[in-house]
Amino acid sequence: ATITLTGTGNLWLILTPSTTLANLNVTLPVSAVDMQEVSVTCTQIITSLDVDDPNNGAPTSMVAGGFFTMRYDATNSIWRRVA
């Protein structure tokens, strides 16, 4: 599955699948603004997680009840994991 996020405000993606997700691709906003945050949480396991650039510190999988937050750094034009 692929989820593409859009918008320039802070976003909260709450995933509530009924079972484990084998694969999930999350595309962060392209038109992000400096210090914009995206928080992601999931009630089930995500076996393989891909969040844009693999070098940005985003997790590659999640446990049930897991979460992470990414913040956009406009100076360097990159999303970075902050939580």
Side-chain angles (χ1 to χ4, degrees):
T2 298
I3 297 174
T4 301
L5 301 171
T6 60
T8 56
N10 292 336
L11 303 171
W12 189 11
L13 176 60
I14 304 168
L15 302 168
T16 58
S18 58
T19 62
T20 295
L21 290 174
N23 297 297
L24 178 64
N25 297 312
V26 177
T27 302
L28 299 171
V30 175
S31 59
V33 295
D34 194 37
M35 304 300 283
Q36 179 178 352
E37 290 189 351
V38 171
S39 295
V40 179
T41 186
C42 187
T43 59
Q44 298 293 330
I45 294 169
I46 302 174
T47 305
S48 177
L49 176 62
D50 179 33
V51 182
D52 285 341
D53 178 358
N55 297 317
N56 61 12
T60 57
S61 63
M62 284 180 72
V63 298
F67 69 92
F68 66 94
T69 299
M70 305 296 291
R71 181 180 298 145
Y72 188 68
D73 173 0
T75 302
N76 296 297
S77 300
I78 190 170
W79 285 94
R80 299 183 188 278
R81 185 175 181 180
V82 293

